[in-house]
Amino acid sequence: MKITSTEDFWAGLMFIGFGVLAIVVANDYPMGSAMRMGPGYFPVAVGACLIAIGAIVTAGGFRLQGEGIGSFPWRAMLLLSVGFASFAWGMDHLGFVPSLAILIILAAVSGREFRWHEVLIETVALIVGSWALFIWGLGLPFPLFPWER
């Protein structure tokens, strides 16, 4: 058998790996039953579904023709990592709005297309939506700006 679609093959193995990891992590939790689910029931069910999906996708790697895996997106990985780290640091030091704006802008810069007007509209919409969900809706006590701490 020859792998004809490397992206499907590796994506399927990734699904299988995450499924096995979920089942191993949930191994110590009580399972319960379908009528009375324990804390381990849902992770094991999701892990089993991931393994099944991974097997199907991996099998597709042997019968479908793919384009192959391109180069690893180092720039995007670096910018997203910096964005997540700055968001984690910024929540304590800058507040919710500036740290979320930095994260959104860095995530947008990491993509292939970048237009300032679209990014600014998305940033405002995501900040308003996040504020409505997390601060107004759920009542989480995040300071919005550094002077509110």
Side-chain angles (χ1 to χ4, degrees):
M1 291 182 90
K2 182 179 178 187
I3 299 171
T4 56
S5 174
T6 54
E7 63 268 28
D8 284 345
F9 178 77
W10 289 110
L13 288 184
M14 182 186 70
F15 276 108
I16 291 171
F18 281 124
V20 169
L21 180 66
I23 290 173
V24 167
V25 167
N27 192 30
D28 291 337
Y29 301 140
M31 280 291 291
S33 65
M35 293 295 291
R36 197 165 174 88
M37 295 180 194
Y41 194 91
F42 186 72
V44 169
V46 170
C49 288
L50 285 174
I51 290 171
I53 291 170
I56 293 169
V57 172
T58 302
F62 290 105
R63 63 179 179 81
L64 300 175
Q65 191 64 36
E67 297 177 10
I69 299 174
S71 63
F72 190 79
W74 290 105
R75 181 174 172 265
M77 287 295 292
L78 178 68
L79 287 172
L80 289 174
S81 298
V82 169
F84 290 130
S86 68
F87 180 76
W89 179 83
M91 284 297 289
D92 285 339
H93 298 87
L94 300 175
F96 185 75
V97 172
S99 58
L100 189 57
I102 291 169
L103 174 64
I104 294 168
I105 291 170
L106 284 176
V109 170
S110 70
R112 292 187 178 135
E113 294 181 17
F114 182 84
R115 295 184 188 99
W116 269 110
H117 63 280
E118 292 176 3
V119 172
L120 290 176
I121 292 170
E122 290 171 359
T123 302
V124 170
L126 287 172
I127 287 174
V128 170
S130 298
W131 170 84
L133 176 65
F134 294 111
I135 296 174
W136 182 71
L138 296 175
L140 296 177
F142 296 141
L144 291 178
F145 296 98
W147 56 84
E148 291 185 356
R149 295 184 319 128

Coordinates of all heavy atoms in Angstrom, one line a residue, residues 68-119:
G68 N -0.1 16.9 -1.1 CA 1.1 16.8 -0.2 C 1.2 17.9 0.8 O 0.4 18.9 0.7
I69 N 2.0 17.7 1.8 CA 2.1 18.7 2.9 C 3.2 19.7 2.4 O 4.3 19.4 2.1 CB 2.5 18.0 4.2 CG1 1.4 17.0 4.5 CG2 2.8 19.0 5.3 CD1 1.8 16.1 5.7
G70 N 2.8 21.0 2.6 CA 3.7 22.1 2.2 C 4.6 22.3 3.4 O 4.8 21.6 4.3
S71 N 5.3 23.5 3.3 CA 6.3 23.8 4.3 C 5.5 24.2 5.6 O 4.4 24.6 5.6 CB 7.1 25.0 3.9 OG 6.3 26.1 3.7
F72 N 6.2 24.0 6.7 CA 5.6 24.3 8.0 C 5.5 25.8 8.2 O 6.4 26.5 7.9 CB 6.5 23.7 9.1 CG 5.8 23.8 10.5 CD1 4.9 22.8 10.8 CD2 6.2 24.7 11.4 CE1 4.3 22.9 12.0 CE2 5.5 24.8 12.6 CZ 4.6 23.8 13.0
P73 N 4.3 26.3 8.6 CA 4.1 27.7 8.8 C 4.7 28.3 10.0 O 4.0 28.6 11.0 CB 2.6 27.8 8.8 CG 2.1 26.6 9.4 CD 3.1 25.5 9.0
W74 N 6.0 28.5 10.0 CA 6.8 29.0 11.2 C 6.3 30.4 11.6 O 6.2 30.7 12.8 CB 8.3 29.0 10.9 CG 8.8 27.6 10.8 CD1 9.2 27.0 9.6 CD2 9.1 26.7 11.9 NE1 9.7 25.7 10.0 CE2 9.6 25.6 11.3 CE3 8.9 26.8 13.2 CZ2 9.9 24.5 12.1 CZ3 9.2 25.7 14.0 CH2 9.7 24.6 13.4
R75 N 6.1 31.3 10.6 CA 5.7 32.6 10.9 C 4.4 32.7 11.7 O 4.2 33.4 12.7 CB 5.6 33.4 9.6 CG 5.2 34.9 9.8 CD 5.3 35.6 8.4 NE 4.8 36.9 8.5 CZ 3.5 37.3 8.3 NH1 2.7 36.3 7.8 NH2 3.1 38.5 8.4
A76 N 3.4 31.9 11.2 CA 2.1 31.9 11.8 C 2.2 31.3 13.2 O 1.6 31.8 14.2 CB 1.1 31.1 11.0
M77 N 3.0 30.2 13.4 CA 3.1 29.6 14.7 C 3.8 30.5 15.7 O 3.4 30.6 16.8 CB 4.0 28.3 14.6 CG 3.3 27.1 13.9 SD 1.9 26.6 14.9 CE 2.8 25.9 16.3
L78 N 4.8 31.3 15.2 CA 5.5 32.2 16.1 C 4.5 33.3 16.5 O 4.4 33.7 17.7 CB 6.7 32.8 15.4 CG 7.5 33.8 16.2 CD1 8.1 33.1 17.4 CD2 8.6 34.4 15.3
L79 N 3.8 33.9 15.5 CA 2.9 35.1 15.8 C 1.8 34.6 16.7 O 1.4 35.4 17.6 CB 2.4 35.7 14.5 CG 3.5 36.5 13.8 CD1 2.9 36.9 12.4 CD2 3.9 37.7 14.6
L80 N 1.2 33.5 16.5 CA 0.1 33.0 17.3 C 0.6 32.7 18.7 O -0.1 33.0 19.7 CB -0.5 31.8 16.7 CG -1.4 32.0 15.5 CD1 -1.9 30.8 14.8 CD2 -2.5 33.0 15.8
S81 N 1.8 32.1 18.8 CA 2.4 31.8 20.2 C 2.6 33.1 20.9 O 2.3 33.2 22.1 CB 3.7 31.0 20.1 OG 3.4 29.8 19.5
V82 N 3.2 34.1 20.3 CA 3.4 35.4 20.9 C 2.0 36.0 21.3 O 1.9 36.6 22.3 CB 4.2 36.3 20.0 CG1 4.2 37.8 20.5 CG2 5.6 35.8 19.8
G83 N 1.0 35.9 20.4 CA -0.3 36.4 20.7 C -0.9 35.8 21.9 O -1.4 36.5 22.8
F84 N -0.8 34.5 22.0 CA -1.4 33.8 23.2 C -0.6 34.2 24.5 O -1.2 34.4 25.5 CB -1.4 32.3 23.0 CG -2.4 31.8 22.0 CD1 -2.0 30.9 21.0 CD2 -3.7 32.3 22.0 CE1 -2.9 30.5 20.1 CE2 -4.6 31.8 21.1 CZ -4.2 31.0 20.1
A85 N 0.7 34.2 24.4 CA 1.5 34.6 25.6 C 1.2 36.1 26.0 O 1.1 36.4 27.2 CB 3.0 34.4 25.3
S86 N 1.1 37.0 25.0 CA 0.8 38.4 25.3 C -0.6 38.5 25.9 O -0.8 39.3 26.8 CB 1.0 39.2 24.1 OG 0.0 39.0 23.1
F87 N -1.5 37.7 25.4 CA -2.9 37.7 26.0 C -2.9 37.3 27.5 O -3.5 37.9 28.3 CB -3.8 36.9 25.2 CG -5.2 36.9 25.7 CD1 -6.1 37.9 25.5 CD2 -5.7 35.8 26.5 CE1 -7.4 37.9 26.0 CE2 -7.0 35.8 27.0 CZ -7.8 36.9 26.7
A88 N -2.1 36.2 27.7 CA -2.1 35.7 29.1 C -1.4 36.7 30.0 O -1.9 37.0 31.1 CB -1.3 34.4 29.2
W89 N -0.3 37.4 29.5 CA 0.4 38.4 30.3 C -0.5 39.6 30.4 O -0.6 40.2 31.5 CB 1.7 38.7 29.7 CG 2.5 39.7 30.5 CD1 3.2 39.6 31.6 CD2 2.5 41.2 30.2 NE1 3.7 40.8 32.0 CE2 3.3 41.8 31.1 CE3 1.9 41.9 29.2 CZ2 3.5 43.1 31.1 CZ3 2.1 43.3 29.2 CH2 2.9 43.9 30.1
G90 N -1.1 40.0 29.3 CA -1.9 41.3 29.3 C -3.1 41.3 30.1 O -3.6 42.3 30.5
M91 N -3.7 40.1 30.3 CA -4.9 40.1 31.2 C -4.7 40.6 32.6 O -5.5 41.2 33.2 CB -5.5 38.7 31.2 CG -6.2 38.3 29.9 SD -7.7 39.3 29.6 CE -8.8 38.7 30.9
D92 N -3.5 40.3 33.1 CA -3.1 40.8 34.4 C -2.6 42.2 34.4 O -2.7 43.0 35.4 CB -2.1 39.9 35.1 CG -2.7 38.6 35.5 OD1 -3.9 38.5 35.7 OD2 -1.9 37.6 35.6
H93 N -2.0 42.7 33.3 CA -1.2 43.9 33.3 C -1.9 45.0 32.5 O -1.8 46.2 32.8 CB 0.2 43.7 32.8 CG 1.0 42.8 33.7 ND1 1.0 41.4 33.6 CD2 1.8 43.1 34.8 CE1 1.7 40.9 34.5 NE2 2.2 41.9 35.2
L94 N -2.6 44.6 31.4 CA -3.2 45.6 30.5 C -4.7 45.7 30.5 O -5.3 46.7 30.2 CB -2.8 45.3 29.0 CG -1.3 45.3 28.7 CD1 -1.1 44.8 27.3 CD2 -0.7 46.7 29.0
G95 N -5.3 44.6 30.9 CA -6.8 44.6 31.0 C -7.3 43.8 29.8 O -6.5 43.3 28.9
F96 N -8.6 43.5 29.8 CA -9.3 42.7 28.8 C -9.2 43.2 27.4 O -8.8 42.5 26.4 CB -10.7 42.5 29.3 CG -11.5 41.5 28.4 CD1 -11.3 40.2 28.5 CD2 -12.4 42.0 27.5 CE1 -12.0 39.3 27.8 CE2 -13.2 41.1 26.8 CZ -13.0 39.8 26.9
V97 N -9.5 44.5 27.2 CA -9.7 45.1 25.9 C -8.3 45.2 25.2 O -8.2 44.7 24.0 CB -10.4 46.4 26.0 CG1 -10.3 47.1 24.6 CG2 -11.8 46.3 26.4
P98 N -7.3 45.8 25.8 CA -6.0 45.8 25.0 C -5.4 44.5 24.8 O -4.8 44.2 23.7 CB -5.1 46.7 26.0 CG -6.0 47.4 26.9 CD -7.2 46.5 27.0
S99 N -5.4 43.6 25.7 CA -4.8 42.2 25.5 C -5.6 41.5 24.4 O -5.0 40.8 23.6 CB -4.7 41.5 26.8 OG -6.0 41.3 27.4
L100 N -6.9 41.6 24.4 CA -7.7 40.9 23.3 C -7.4 41.5 22.0 O -7.3 40.8 21.0 CB -9.1 40.9 23.7 CG -10.1 40.1 22.8 CD1 -9.6 38.6 22.8 CD2 -11.5 40.2 23.3
A101 N -7.3 42.9 21.9 CA -6.9 43.5 20.7 C -5.6 43.1 20.1 O -5.4 42.8 18.9 CB -7.0 45.0 20.9
I102 N -4.6 43.0 21.0 CA -3.3 42.5 20.6 C -3.4 41.1 20.0 O -2.8 40.8 19.0 CB -2.3 42.6 21.8 CG1 -2.0 44.1 22.1 CG2 -1.0 41.9 21.4 CD1 -1.2 44.2 23.4
L103 N -4.1 40.2 20.7 CA -4.2 38.8 20.3 C -4.9 38.8 18.9 O -4.4 38.1 18.0 CB -5.0 38.0 21.3 CG -5.4 36.6 20.9 CD1 -4.1 35.8 20.7 CD2 -6.3 36.0 21.9
I104 N -5.9 39.5 18.7 CA -6.7 39.5 17.4 C -5.8 40.0 16.3 O -5.8 39.5 15.2 CB -8.0 40.3 17.6 CG1 -8.9 39.6 18.5 CG2 -8.7 40.4 16.2 CD1 -10.1 40.4 19.0
I105 N -5.1 41.1 16.6 CA -4.3 41.7 15.5 C -3.1 40.8 15.2 O -2.8 40.5 14.0 CB -3.8 43.1 15.9 CG1 -5.0 44.1 15.9 CG2 -2.7 43.6 15.0 CD1 -4.7 45.4 16.6
L106 N -2.5 40.1 16.2 CA -1.4 39.2 15.9 C -1.9 38.0 15.1 O -1.2 37.5 14.2 CB -0.7 38.8 17.1 CG 0.3 39.8 17.7 CD1 0.8 39.3 19.0 CD2 1.4 40.1 16.8
A107 N -3.1 37.5 15.5 CA -3.7 36.4 14.7 C -4.0 36.8 13.3 O -3.7 36.0 12.4 CB -4.9 35.9 15.4
A108 N -4.4 38.0 13.1 CA -4.7 38.4 11.7 C -3.4 38.6 10.9 O -3.4 38.3 9.7 CB -5.5 39.7 11.7
V109 N -2.4 39.1 11.5 CA -1.1 39.3 10.9 C -0.5 37.9 10.5 O 0.2 37.8 9.5 CB -0.1 40.1 11.7 CG1 1.3 40.1 11.2 CG2 -0.6 41.5 11.9
S110 N -0.8 36.9 11.2 CA -0.2 35.6 11.0 C -0.8 35.0 9.7 O -0.2 34.0 9.2 CB -0.4 34.7 12.2 OG -1.7 34.3 12.3
G111 N -1.9 35.5 9.3 CA -2.6 34.9 8.1 C -1.9 35.3 6.8 O -1.0 36.1 6.8
R112 N -2.4 34.8 5.7 CA -1.9 35.1 4.4 C -2.3 36.5 3.8 O -1.6 37.1 3.1 CB -2.2 34.0 3.4 CG -1.5 32.8 3.7 CD -1.7 31.7 2.6 NE -1.0 30.5 3.0 CZ -1.5 29.3 2.9 NH1 -2.7 29.1 2.4 NH2 -0.8 28.3 3.3
E113 N -3.6 36.8 4.2 CA -4.1 38.1 3.7 C -4.3 39.0 4.9 O -4.8 38.5 6.0 CB -5.4 37.9 3.0 CG -5.3 37.1 1.7 CD -6.6 37.0 1.0 OE1 -7.6 37.7 1.4 OE2 -6.7 36.1 0.2
F114 N -4.0 40.3 4.8 CA -4.1 41.2 5.9 C -4.6 42.5 5.3 O -3.9 43.1 4.5 CB -2.8 41.3 6.6 CG -2.9 42.3 7.8 CD1 -3.3 41.8 9.0 CD2 -2.5 43.6 7.7 CE1 -3.4 42.6 10.1 CE2 -2.6 44.4 8.8 CZ -3.1 43.9 10.0
R115 N -5.8 43.0 5.8 CA -6.3 44.3 5.4 C -6.6 45.0 6.7 O -7.5 44.5 7.5 CB -7.5 44.2 4.5 CG -7.1 43.6 3.2 CD -8.3 43.5 2.2 NE -8.1 42.8 1.1 CZ -8.4 41.5 0.9 NH1 -9.1 40.9 1.8 NH2 -8.1 40.9 -0.2
W116 N -6.1 46.2 6.9 CA -6.2 46.9 8.2 C -7.7 47.2 8.5 O -8.1 47.0 9.6 CB -5.4 48.2 8.2 CG -4.1 48.0 8.8 CD1 -2.9 48.1 8.1 CD2 -3.8 47.7 10.1 NE1 -1.9 47.8 8.9 CE2 -2.3 47.6 10.2 CE3 -4.5 47.5 11.3 CZ2 -1.7 47.3 11.4 CZ3 -3.8 47.2 12.4 CH2 -2.4 47.1 12.5
H117 N -8.5 47.6 7.5 CA -9.8 48.0 7.8 C -10.7 46.8 8.2 O -11.5 46.9 9.1 CB -10.5 48.7 6.6 CG -10.6 47.9 5.3 ND1 -9.5 47.7 4.5 CD2 -11.6 47.3 4.8 CE1 -9.9 47.0 3.5 NE2 -11.2 46.7 3.6
E118 N -10.4 45.6 7.6 CA -11.1 44.4 8.0 C -10.7 44.0 9.4 O -11.5 43.6 10.2 CB -10.9 43.3 7.0 CG -11.5 43.5 5.6 CD -11.1 42.4 4.6 OE1 -10.4 41.5 5.0 OE2 -11.5 42.5 3.5
V119 N -9.4 44.1 9.6 CA -8.9 43.7 11.0 C -9.5 44.6 12.1 O -9.9 44.1 13.1 CB -7.4 43.7 11.0 CG1 -6.8 43.4 12.4 CG2 -6.8 42.6 10.0

